[in-house]
Amino acid sequence: MASDDGSMRILVAGGARVDAGKTTFTTGLLDRLGAVGFKPRAGNDYWFDHDDYRRAVEAGRLYGKDAKRLADASTGTFAPEDLNPVHRLWRPSPGPGTGLVGAAHRQFVLDRVGESFVVNARTHVPKSAREHLPLDDAPTVSSVEELNEVTRRLHLPMLDGFADRIRRVETETEAGAAVVESYGDVAVPIRDLSFDAVAVVEPGRMRAYEPAT
Amino acid sequence: MTDLTDPKATATLPALPDDDRRDPAAVARAYADAYDELLAVAES
C-alpha cells in the first residue's frame, strides 16, 4: 500500500537469473512515475560485458550497463554509482571449478563497495583494472571465510546505509517514488526496506504481488 | 516473506524491438497496461 505521505516504493525482481527483462521494465516504470531507480547490488563480466567494463574502468570506475540505464532513466541527475553501491566484476572460470563464491563457470574478480574495492587474491585481475582502479590498498580475500568477513565489515553496512539513502531521495524528488531492482534472482536486495508492491518480471509476463507485512 | 504463489495481478509484456527497449518512454507506452496493474496493487 502506498504510504500516507504519497510516496511509493516498488521492488522489481526477476523470475529468471539473466535476461528476465527487469531493467527494461524498470526504466519504463521510472519514466511512468517520474521516479528514481536503484540497484543495490549489480555485477557484470569481464568477458561477456567487455565493452561496458572497458568504458567504466578506463574512466577509473566500475559499474555495469544496468546501473547506467537506471541513472539515465531516473528523474534527476545521478551517476550509476549513486544508485548502485555494490558492484561485482566476474570473469569466466574455465573447467569444472566453481570459484571462490561457488558460482559455476565464473569467478568473482573484485567488488566495488561504495568507493572502495575488494580483490579476489585467487584469480587474475585484469591489467586494465590494476592500472585504472585504486586497488593497491584494497583488501584481498582468498577464502570464503575471508570474503564473508569482509562482507560483514564493508558490504552489509554499505547496503544498510543505502536504505536510508533511498528513503532520503524519495523525499527529495517531486514524485516521491522509488523503484528498486533486484540483482539476478536475489529476491530481497536490501534489508530493512519495505515495498508497496513487488513486480516479478520474466520474458513476456509480469506478476504483481502484495509484499508481506 | 512475500507469498509468490498468489499474484494479485498478472500482465503480458509485449516483445519490443531494441530501439524501443532502450527508450524508457517507449517502454512506458508499451508496458502501460502492466504498469496500471502493478500500481493498482501498490495503491490497494
PDB file of all heavy atoms in Angstrom, chain A residues 9 11 38-41 85 155-167 180-183 186-195:
ATOM      1  N   ARG A   9       7.073   2.917  -3.261  1.00  0.00           N
ATOM      2  CA  ARG A   9       8.322   2.189  -3.459  1.00  0.00           C
ATOM      3  C   ARG A   9       8.000   0.801  -4.030  1.00  0.00           C
ATOM      4  O   ARG A   9       7.236   0.041  -3.437  1.00  0.00           O
ATOM      5  CB  ARG A   9       9.074   2.066  -2.135  1.00  0.00           C
ATOM      6  CG  ARG A   9      10.500   1.585  -2.284  1.00  0.00           C
ATOM      7  CD  ARG A   9      11.168   1.494  -0.913  1.00  0.00           C
ATOM      8  NE  ARG A   9      11.085   2.731  -0.172  1.00  0.00           N
ATOM      9  CZ  ARG A   9      10.799   2.828   1.132  1.00  0.00           C
ATOM     10  NH1 ARG A   9      10.540   1.735   1.822  1.00  0.00           N
ATOM     11  NH2 ARG A   9      10.749   3.996   1.729  1.00  0.00           N
ATOM     12  N   LEU A  11       9.475  -2.843  -5.772  1.00  0.00           N
ATOM     13  CA  LEU A  11      10.592  -3.755  -5.983  1.00  0.00           C
ATOM     14  C   LEU A  11      10.364  -4.523  -7.281  1.00  0.00           C
ATOM     15  O   LEU A  11       9.273  -5.074  -7.496  1.00  0.00           O
ATOM     16  CB  LEU A  11      10.701  -4.749  -4.822  1.00  0.00           C
ATOM     17  CG  LEU A  11      11.718  -5.894  -4.991  1.00  0.00           C
ATOM     18  CD1 LEU A  11      13.142  -5.352  -5.070  1.00  0.00           C
ATOM     19  CD2 LEU A  11      11.588  -6.898  -3.841  1.00  0.00           C
ATOM     20  N   PHE A  38      16.987   2.354  -8.321  1.00  0.00           N
ATOM     21  CA  PHE A  38      18.134   1.903  -7.523  1.00  0.00           C
ATOM     22  C   PHE A  38      18.413   0.433  -7.813  1.00  0.00           C
ATOM     23  O   PHE A  38      17.490  -0.355  -8.014  1.00  0.00           O
ATOM     24  CB  PHE A  38      17.850   2.073  -6.027  1.00  0.00           C
ATOM     25  CG  PHE A  38      17.600   3.492  -5.618  1.00  0.00           C
ATOM     26  CD1 PHE A  38      16.313   4.007  -5.623  1.00  0.00           C
ATOM     27  CD2 PHE A  38      18.646   4.321  -5.252  1.00  0.00           C
ATOM     28  CE1 PHE A  38      16.063   5.328  -5.265  1.00  0.00           C
ATOM     29  CE2 PHE A  38      18.414   5.636  -4.883  1.00  0.00           C
ATOM     30  CZ  PHE A  38      17.119   6.145  -4.896  1.00  0.00           C
ATOM     31  N   LYS A  39      19.665   0.102  -7.811  1.00  0.00           N
ATOM     32  CA  LYS A  39      20.067  -1.300  -7.942  1.00  0.00           C
ATOM     33  C   LYS A  39      21.142  -1.529  -6.884  1.00  0.00           C
ATOM     34  O   LYS A  39      22.332  -1.301  -7.133  1.00  0.00           O
ATOM     35  CB  LYS A  39      20.604  -1.578  -9.337  1.00  0.00           C
ATOM     36  CG  LYS A  39      20.864  -3.048  -9.585  1.00  0.00           C
ATOM     37  CD  LYS A  39      20.876  -3.380 -11.056  1.00  0.00           C
ATOM     38  CE  LYS A  39      21.162  -4.865 -11.249  1.00  0.00           C
ATOM     39  NZ  LYS A  39      20.112  -5.553 -11.969  1.00  0.00           N
ATOM     40  N   PRO A  40      20.737  -1.927  -5.683  1.00  0.00           N
ATOM     41  CA  PRO A  40      21.704  -2.014  -4.581  1.00  0.00           C
ATOM     42  C   PRO A  40      22.900  -2.890  -4.908  1.00  0.00           C
ATOM     43  O   PRO A  40      24.026  -2.560  -4.565  1.00  0.00           O
ATOM     44  CB  PRO A  40      20.872  -2.594  -3.434  1.00  0.00           C
ATOM     45  CG  PRO A  40      19.470  -2.153  -3.742  1.00  0.00           C
ATOM     46  CD  PRO A  40      19.360  -2.205  -5.236  1.00  0.00           C
ATOM     47  N   ARG A  41      22.658  -4.014  -5.566  1.00  0.00           N
ATOM     48  CA  ARG A  41      23.760  -4.898  -5.939  1.00  0.00           C
ATOM     49  C   ARG A  41      23.676  -5.186  -7.433  1.00  0.00           C
ATOM     50  O   ARG A  41      22.580  -5.404  -7.973  1.00  0.00           O
ATOM     51  CB  ARG A  41      23.683  -6.210  -5.159  1.00  0.00           C
ATOM     52  CG  ARG A  41      23.884  -6.004  -3.678  1.00  0.00           C
ATOM     53  CD  ARG A  41      24.147  -7.303  -2.967  1.00  0.00           C
ATOM     54  NE  ARG A  41      22.922  -8.095  -2.818  1.00  0.00           N
ATOM     55  CZ  ARG A  41      22.901  -9.298  -2.276  1.00  0.00           C
ATOM     56  NH1 ARG A  41      24.013  -9.863  -1.850  1.00  0.00           N
ATOM     57  NH2 ARG A  41      21.766  -9.948  -2.152  1.00  0.00           N
ATOM     58  N   PRO A  85      25.457   0.868  -5.034  1.00  0.00           N
ATOM     59  CA  PRO A  85      26.627   0.927  -4.152  1.00  0.00           C
ATOM     60  C   PRO A  85      27.553  -0.283  -4.224  1.00  0.00           C
ATOM     61  O   PRO A  85      28.723  -0.173  -3.884  1.00  0.00           O
ATOM     62  CB  PRO A  85      26.017   1.050  -2.756  1.00  0.00           C
ATOM     63  CG  PRO A  85      24.678   0.406  -2.882  1.00  0.00           C
ATOM     64  CD  PRO A  85      24.205   0.693  -4.271  1.00  0.00           C
ATOM     65  N   HIS A 155      30.328  -4.636   2.973  1.00  0.00           N
ATOM     66  CA  HIS A 155      29.140  -4.671   2.121  1.00  0.00           C
ATOM     67  C   HIS A 155      27.849  -4.405   2.905  1.00  0.00           C
ATOM     68  O   HIS A 155      27.022  -3.588   2.480  1.00  0.00           O
ATOM     69  CB  HIS A 155      29.014  -6.027   1.429  1.00  0.00           C
ATOM     70  CG  HIS A 155      30.138  -6.393   0.512  1.00  0.00           C
ATOM     71  ND1 HIS A 155      31.433  -6.534   0.940  1.00  0.00           N
ATOM     72  CD2 HIS A 155      30.161  -6.643  -0.818  1.00  0.00           C
ATOM     73  CE1 HIS A 155      32.203  -6.878  -0.076  1.00  0.00           C
ATOM     74  NE2 HIS A 155      31.457  -6.940  -1.169  1.00  0.00           N
ATOM     75  N   LEU A 156      27.686  -5.117   4.016  1.00  0.00           N
ATOM     76  CA  LEU A 156      26.406  -5.012   4.716  1.00  0.00           C
ATOM     77  C   LEU A 156      26.166  -3.615   5.293  1.00  0.00           C
ATOM     78  O   LEU A 156      25.056  -3.075   5.152  1.00  0.00           O
ATOM     79  CB  LEU A 156      26.300  -6.096   5.793  1.00  0.00           C
ATOM     80  CG  LEU A 156      26.265  -7.533   5.233  1.00  0.00           C
ATOM     81  CD1 LEU A 156      26.132  -8.540   6.371  1.00  0.00           C
ATOM     82  CD2 LEU A 156      25.136  -7.716   4.227  1.00  0.00           C
ATOM     83  N   PRO A 157      27.173  -2.990   5.940  1.00  0.00           N
ATOM     84  CA  PRO A 157      26.938  -1.606   6.388  1.00  0.00           C
ATOM     85  C   PRO A 157      26.639  -0.663   5.220  1.00  0.00           C
ATOM     86  O   PRO A 157      25.806   0.251   5.348  1.00  0.00           O
ATOM     87  CB  PRO A 157      28.255  -1.232   7.076  1.00  0.00           C
ATOM     88  CG  PRO A 157      28.857  -2.533   7.487  1.00  0.00           C
ATOM     89  CD  PRO A 157      28.473  -3.506   6.419  1.00  0.00           C
ATOM     90  N   MET A 158      27.309  -0.877   4.086  1.00  0.00           N
ATOM     91  CA  MET A 158      27.041  -0.028   2.924  1.00  0.00           C
ATOM     92  C   MET A 158      25.596  -0.179   2.467  1.00  0.00           C
ATOM     93  O   MET A 158      24.907   0.807   2.195  1.00  0.00           O
ATOM     94  CB  MET A 158      28.006  -0.403   1.789  1.00  0.00           C
ATOM     95  CG  MET A 158      27.749   0.319   0.470  1.00  0.00           C
ATOM     96  SD  MET A 158      27.959   2.102   0.568  1.00  0.00           S
ATOM     97  CE  MET A 158      29.725   2.212   0.910  1.00  0.00           C
ATOM     98  N   LEU A 159      25.116  -1.419   2.410  1.00  0.00           N
ATOM     99  CA  LEU A 159      23.744  -1.647   1.963  1.00  0.00           C
ATOM    100  C   LEU A 159      22.732  -1.136   2.981  1.00  0.00           C
ATOM    101  O   LEU A 159      21.686  -0.597   2.610  1.00  0.00           O
ATOM    102  CB  LEU A 159      23.529  -3.137   1.679  1.00  0.00           C
ATOM    103  CG  LEU A 159      24.274  -3.647   0.436  1.00  0.00           C
ATOM    104  CD1 LEU A 159      24.241  -5.169   0.386  1.00  0.00           C
ATOM    105  CD2 LEU A 159      23.682  -3.062  -0.839  1.00  0.00           C
ATOM    106  N   ASP A 160      23.035  -1.285   4.270  1.00  0.00           N
ATOM    107  CA  ASP A 160      22.129  -0.762   5.287  1.00  0.00           C
ATOM    108  C   ASP A 160      22.033   0.766   5.188  1.00  0.00           C
ATOM    109  O   ASP A 160      20.947   1.341   5.296  1.00  0.00           O
ATOM    110  CB  ASP A 160      22.601  -1.169   6.682  1.00  0.00           C
ATOM    111  CG  ASP A 160      22.372  -2.653   6.949  1.00  0.00           C
ATOM    112  OD1 ASP A 160      21.597  -3.270   6.199  1.00  0.00           O
ATOM    113  OD2 ASP A 160      22.971  -3.186   7.902  1.00  0.00           O
ATOM    114  N   GLY A 161      23.169   1.409   4.979  1.00  0.00           N
ATOM    115  CA  GLY A 161      23.147   2.860   4.813  1.00  0.00           C
ATOM    116  C   GLY A 161      22.438   3.274   3.537  1.00  0.00           C
ATOM    117  O   GLY A 161      21.829   4.348   3.478  1.00  0.00           O
ATOM    118  N   PHE A 162      22.483   2.402   2.547  1.00  0.00           N
ATOM    119  CA  PHE A 162      21.846   2.732   1.272  1.00  0.00           C
ATOM    120  C   PHE A 162      20.323   2.753   1.400  1.00  0.00           C
ATOM    121  O   PHE A 162      19.650   3.500   0.680  1.00  0.00           O
ATOM    122  CB  PHE A 162      22.275   1.715   0.211  1.00  0.00           C
ATOM    123  CG  PHE A 162      21.995   2.158  -1.194  1.00  0.00           C
ATOM    124  CD1 PHE A 162      22.644   3.261  -1.740  1.00  0.00           C
ATOM    125  CD2 PHE A 162      21.089   1.484  -1.987  1.00  0.00           C
ATOM    126  CE1 PHE A 162      22.394   3.675  -3.025  1.00  0.00           C
ATOM    127  CE2 PHE A 162      20.840   1.888  -3.285  1.00  0.00           C
ATOM    128  CZ  PHE A 162      21.487   2.984  -3.801  1.00  0.00           C
ATOM    129  N   ALA A 163      19.787   1.965   2.301  1.00  0.00           N
ATOM    130  CA  ALA A 163      18.338   2.020   2.534  1.00  0.00           C
ATOM    131  C   ALA A 163      17.935   3.427   2.968  1.00  0.00           C
ATOM    132  O   ALA A 163      16.910   3.966   2.520  1.00  0.00           O
ATOM    133  CB  ALA A 163      17.944   0.989   3.593  1.00  0.00           C
ATOM    134  N   ASP A 164      18.734   4.030   3.823  1.00  0.00           N
ATOM    135  CA  ASP A 164      18.448   5.410   4.240  1.00  0.00           C
ATOM    136  C   ASP A 164      18.566   6.370   3.068  1.00  0.00           C
ATOM    137  O   ASP A 164      17.802   7.328   2.954  1.00  0.00           O
ATOM    138  CB  ASP A 164      19.417   5.837   5.354  1.00  0.00           C
ATOM    139  CG  ASP A 164      19.163   5.086   6.641  1.00  0.00           C
ATOM    140  OD1 ASP A 164      18.013   4.641   6.854  1.00  0.00           O
ATOM    141  OD2 ASP A 164      20.112   4.934   7.434  1.00  0.00           O
ATOM    142  N   ARG A 165      19.532   6.114   2.198  1.00  0.00           N
ATOM    143  CA  ARG A 165      19.685   6.983   1.033  1.00  0.00           C
ATOM    144  C   ARG A 165      18.450   6.912   0.129  1.00  0.00           C
ATOM    145  O   ARG A 165      17.980   7.926  -0.384  1.00  0.00           O
ATOM    146  CB  ARG A 165      20.932   6.599   0.241  1.00  0.00           C
ATOM    147  CG  ARG A 165      21.038   7.317  -1.087  1.00  0.00           C
ATOM    148  CD  ARG A 165      22.396   7.223  -1.735  1.00  0.00           C
ATOM    149  NE  ARG A 165      22.368   7.726  -3.089  1.00  0.00           N
ATOM    150  CZ  ARG A 165      22.276   9.011  -3.407  1.00  0.00           C
ATOM    151  NH1 ARG A 165      22.189   9.917  -2.464  1.00  0.00           N
ATOM    152  NH2 ARG A 165      22.234   9.401  -4.654  1.00  0.00           N
ATOM    153  N   ILE A 166      17.917   5.707  -0.072  1.00  0.00           N
ATOM    154  CA  ILE A 166      16.719   5.564  -0.903  1.00  0.00           C
ATOM    155  C   ILE A 166      15.571   6.370  -0.302  1.00  0.00           C
ATOM    156  O   ILE A 166      14.870   7.105  -1.004  1.00  0.00           O
ATOM    157  CB  ILE A 166      16.351   4.074  -1.048  1.00  0.00           C
ATOM    158  CG1 ILE A 166      17.426   3.347  -1.877  1.00  0.00           C
ATOM    159  CG2 ILE A 166      14.980   3.920  -1.695  1.00  0.00           C
ATOM    160  CD1 ILE A 166      17.254   1.840  -1.922  1.00  0.00           C
ATOM    161  N   ARG A 167      15.388   6.247   1.016  1.00  0.00           N
ATOM    162  CA  ARG A 167      14.300   6.998   1.666  1.00  0.00           C
ATOM    163  C   ARG A 167      14.514   8.500   1.506  1.00  0.00           C
ATOM    164  O   ARG A 167      13.569   9.264   1.272  1.00  0.00           O
ATOM    165  CB  ARG A 167      14.235   6.637   3.151  1.00  0.00           C
ATOM    166  CG  ARG A 167      13.867   5.195   3.428  1.00  0.00           C
ATOM    167  CD  ARG A 167      13.676   4.966   4.929  1.00  0.00           C
ATOM    168  NE  ARG A 167      13.528   3.562   5.232  1.00  0.00           N
ATOM    169  CZ  ARG A 167      14.521   2.774   5.624  1.00  0.00           C
ATOM    170  NH1 ARG A 167      15.731   3.285   5.802  1.00  0.00           N
ATOM    171  NH2 ARG A 167      14.318   1.500   5.862  1.00  0.00           N
ATOM    172  N   VAL A 180      13.231  -0.127  -6.978  1.00  0.00           N
ATOM    173  CA  VAL A 180      14.450  -0.848  -6.620  1.00  0.00           C
ATOM    174  C   VAL A 180      14.493  -2.141  -7.428  1.00  0.00           C
ATOM    175  O   VAL A 180      13.555  -2.940  -7.376  1.00  0.00           O
ATOM    176  CB  VAL A 180      14.487  -1.157  -5.111  1.00  0.00           C
ATOM    177  CG1 VAL A 180      15.740  -1.947  -4.760  1.00  0.00           C
ATOM    178  CG2 VAL A 180      14.422   0.133  -4.303  1.00  0.00           C
ATOM    179  N   GLU A 181      15.571  -2.316  -8.168  1.00  0.00           N
ATOM    180  CA  GLU A 181      15.712  -3.521  -8.993  1.00  0.00           C
ATOM    181  C   GLU A 181      16.621  -4.510  -8.286  1.00  0.00           C
ATOM    182  O   GLU A 181      17.709  -4.150  -7.830  1.00  0.00           O
ATOM    183  CB  GLU A 181      16.299  -3.148 -10.360  1.00  0.00           C
ATOM    184  CG  GLU A 181      16.413  -4.341 -11.292  1.00  0.00           C
ATOM    185  CD  GLU A 181      17.087  -3.981 -12.612  1.00  0.00           C
ATOM    186  OE1 GLU A 181      16.928  -2.844 -13.074  1.00  0.00           O
ATOM    187  OE2 GLU A 181      17.781  -4.846 -13.158  1.00  0.00           O
ATOM    188  N   SER A 182      16.175  -5.747  -8.223  1.00  0.00           N
ATOM    189  CA  SER A 182      16.990  -6.769  -7.577  1.00  0.00           C
ATOM    190  C   SER A 182      18.104  -7.215  -8.515  1.00  0.00           C
ATOM    191  O   SER A 182      18.121  -6.887  -9.697  1.00  0.00           O
ATOM    192  CB  SER A 182      16.137  -7.961  -7.164  1.00  0.00           C
ATOM    193  OG  SER A 182      15.718  -8.671  -8.310  1.00  0.00           O
ATOM    194  N   TYR A 183      19.034  -7.996  -7.974  1.00  0.00           N
ATOM    195  CA  TYR A 183      20.191  -8.478  -8.726  1.00  0.00           C
ATOM    196  C   TYR A 183      19.991  -9.955  -9.028  1.00  0.00           C
ATOM    197  O   TYR A 183      19.832 -10.755  -8.106  1.00  0.00           O
ATOM    198  CB  TYR A 183      21.453  -8.272  -7.896  1.00  0.00           C
ATOM    199  CG  TYR A 183      22.723  -8.827  -8.498  1.00  0.00           C
ATOM    200  CD1 TYR A 183      22.979  -8.757  -9.864  1.00  0.00           C
ATOM    201  CD2 TYR A 183      23.690  -9.408  -7.700  1.00  0.00           C
ATOM    202  CE1 TYR A 183      24.146  -9.254 -10.409  1.00  0.00           C
ATOM    203  CE2 TYR A 183      24.875  -9.900  -8.226  1.00  0.00           C
ATOM    204  CZ  TYR A 183      25.091  -9.827  -9.584  1.00  0.00           C
ATOM    205  OH  TYR A 183      26.259 -10.324 -10.123  1.00  0.00           O
ATOM    206  N   VAL A 186      18.053 -12.739  -6.924  1.00  0.00           N
ATOM    207  CA  VAL A 186      18.009 -12.414  -5.494  1.00  0.00           C
ATOM    208  C   VAL A 186      16.733 -11.642  -5.226  1.00  0.00           C
ATOM    209  O   VAL A 186      16.519 -10.571  -5.803  1.00  0.00           O
ATOM    210  CB  VAL A 186      19.239 -11.584  -5.078  1.00  0.00           C
ATOM    211  CG1 VAL A 186      19.134 -11.157  -3.629  1.00  0.00           C
ATOM    212  CG2 VAL A 186      20.507 -12.378  -5.319  1.00  0.00           C
ATOM    213  N   ALA A 187      15.878 -12.164  -4.384  1.00  0.00           N
ATOM    214  CA  ALA A 187      14.552 -11.584  -4.229  1.00  0.00           C
ATOM    215  C   ALA A 187      14.583 -10.282  -3.440  1.00  0.00           C
ATOM    216  O   ALA A 187      13.930  -9.307  -3.800  1.00  0.00           O
ATOM    217  CB  ALA A 187      13.609 -12.577  -3.556  1.00  0.00           C
ATOM    218  N   VAL A 188      15.325 -10.250  -2.360  1.00  0.00           N
ATOM    219  CA  VAL A 188      15.329  -9.064  -1.496  1.00  0.00           C
ATOM    220  C   VAL A 188      16.740  -8.472  -1.520  1.00  0.00           C
ATOM    221  O   VAL A 188      17.661  -9.007  -0.922  1.00  0.00           O
ATOM    222  CB  VAL A 188      14.921  -9.417  -0.058  1.00  0.00           C
ATOM    223  CG1 VAL A 188      14.940  -8.169   0.816  1.00  0.00           C
ATOM    224  CG2 VAL A 188      13.541 -10.037  -0.063  1.00  0.00           C
ATOM    225  N   PRO A 189      16.923  -7.368  -2.224  1.00  0.00           N
ATOM    226  CA  PRO A 189      18.271  -6.859  -2.410  1.00  0.00           C
ATOM    227  C   PRO A 189      18.804  -6.068  -1.242  1.00  0.00           C
ATOM    228  O   PRO A 189      19.989  -5.776  -1.171  1.00  0.00           O
ATOM    229  CB  PRO A 189      18.114  -5.966  -3.643  1.00  0.00           C
ATOM    230  CG  PRO A 189      16.694  -5.483  -3.565  1.00  0.00           C
ATOM    231  CD  PRO A 189      15.918  -6.610  -2.956  1.00  0.00           C
ATOM    232  N   ILE A 190      17.964  -5.717  -0.307  1.00  0.00           N
ATOM    233  CA  ILE A 190      18.408  -4.835   0.766  1.00  0.00           C
ATOM    234  C   ILE A 190      17.518  -5.059   1.981  1.00  0.00           C
ATOM    235  O   ILE A 190      16.307  -5.275   1.855  1.00  0.00           O
ATOM    236  CB  ILE A 190      18.361  -3.367   0.258  1.00  0.00           C
ATOM    237  CG1 ILE A 190      19.182  -2.447   1.148  1.00  0.00           C
ATOM    238  CG2 ILE A 190      16.953  -2.881   0.098  1.00  0.00           C
ATOM    239  CD1 ILE A 190      19.492  -1.128   0.472  1.00  0.00           C
ATOM    240  N   ARG A 191      18.138  -5.045   3.153  1.00  0.00           N
ATOM    241  CA  ARG A 191      17.377  -5.289   4.371  1.00  0.00           C
ATOM    242  C   ARG A 191      16.684  -4.005   4.818  1.00  0.00           C
ATOM    243  O   ARG A 191      17.083  -2.906   4.452  1.00  0.00           O
ATOM    244  CB  ARG A 191      18.297  -5.777   5.489  1.00  0.00           C
ATOM    245  CG  ARG A 191      19.024  -7.060   5.155  1.00  0.00           C
ATOM    246  CD  ARG A 191      19.876  -7.530   6.318  1.00  0.00           C
ATOM    247  NE  ARG A 191      20.948  -6.609   6.647  1.00  0.00           N
ATOM    248  CZ  ARG A 191      21.913  -6.873   7.533  1.00  0.00           C
ATOM    249  NH1 ARG A 191      21.906  -8.013   8.181  1.00  0.00           N
ATOM    250  NH2 ARG A 191      22.866  -6.004   7.768  1.00  0.00           N
ATOM    251  N   ASP A 192      15.659  -4.178   5.644  1.00  0.00           N
ATOM    252  CA  ASP A 192      15.022  -3.043   6.325  1.00  0.00           C
ATOM    253  C   ASP A 192      14.453  -2.014   5.361  1.00  0.00           C
ATOM    254  O   ASP A 192      14.496  -0.809   5.629  1.00  0.00           O
ATOM    255  CB  ASP A 192      16.026  -2.359   7.265  1.00  0.00           C
ATOM    256  CG  ASP A 192      16.554  -3.332   8.307  1.00  0.00           C
ATOM    257  OD1 ASP A 192      15.791  -4.232   8.708  1.00  0.00           O
ATOM    258  OD2 ASP A 192      17.718  -3.201   8.703  1.00  0.00           O
ATOM    259  N   LEU A 193      13.960  -2.462   4.235  1.00  0.00           N
ATOM    260  CA  LEU A 193      13.326  -1.547   3.292  1.00  0.00           C
ATOM    261  C   LEU A 193      12.023  -2.199   2.853  1.00  0.00           C
ATOM    262  O   LEU A 193      12.033  -3.295   2.289  1.00  0.00           O
ATOM    263  CB  LEU A 193      14.250  -1.307   2.094  1.00  0.00           C
ATOM    264  CG  LEU A 193      13.943  -0.099   1.217  1.00  0.00           C
ATOM    265  CD1 LEU A 193      14.132   1.194   2.012  1.00  0.00           C
ATOM    266  CD2 LEU A 193      14.833  -0.085  -0.009  1.00  0.00           C
ATOM    267  N   SER A 194      10.917  -1.538   3.144  1.00  0.00           N
ATOM    268  CA  SER A 194       9.620  -2.109   2.788  1.00  0.00           C
ATOM    269  C   SER A 194       9.197  -1.625   1.409  1.00  0.00           C
ATOM    270  O   SER A 194       9.694  -0.608   0.909  1.00  0.00           O
ATOM    271  CB  SER A 194       8.575  -1.724   3.828  1.00  0.00           C
ATOM    272  OG  SER A 194       8.439  -0.320   3.861  1.00  0.00           O
ATOM    273  N   PHE A 195       8.256  -2.338   0.813  1.00  0.00           N
ATOM    274  CA  PHE A 195       7.800  -2.003  -0.536  1.00  0.00           C
ATOM    275  C   PHE A 195       6.277  -1.993  -0.569  1.00  0.00           C
ATOM    276  O   PHE A 195       5.612  -2.684   0.196  1.00  0.00           O
ATOM    277  CB  PHE A 195       8.344  -3.017  -1.547  1.00  0.00           C
ATOM    278  CG  PHE A 195       9.840  -2.973  -1.660  1.00  0.00           C
ATOM    279  CD1 PHE A 195      10.641  -3.812  -0.895  1.00  0.00           C
ATOM    280  CD2 PHE A 195      10.460  -2.065  -2.508  1.00  0.00           C
ATOM    281  CE1 PHE A 195      12.019  -3.759  -0.981  1.00  0.00           C
ATOM    282  CE2 PHE A 195      11.841  -2.001  -2.594  1.00  0.00           C
ATOM    283  CZ  PHE A 195      12.620  -2.844  -1.836  1.00  0.00           C
TER     284      PHE A 195
END
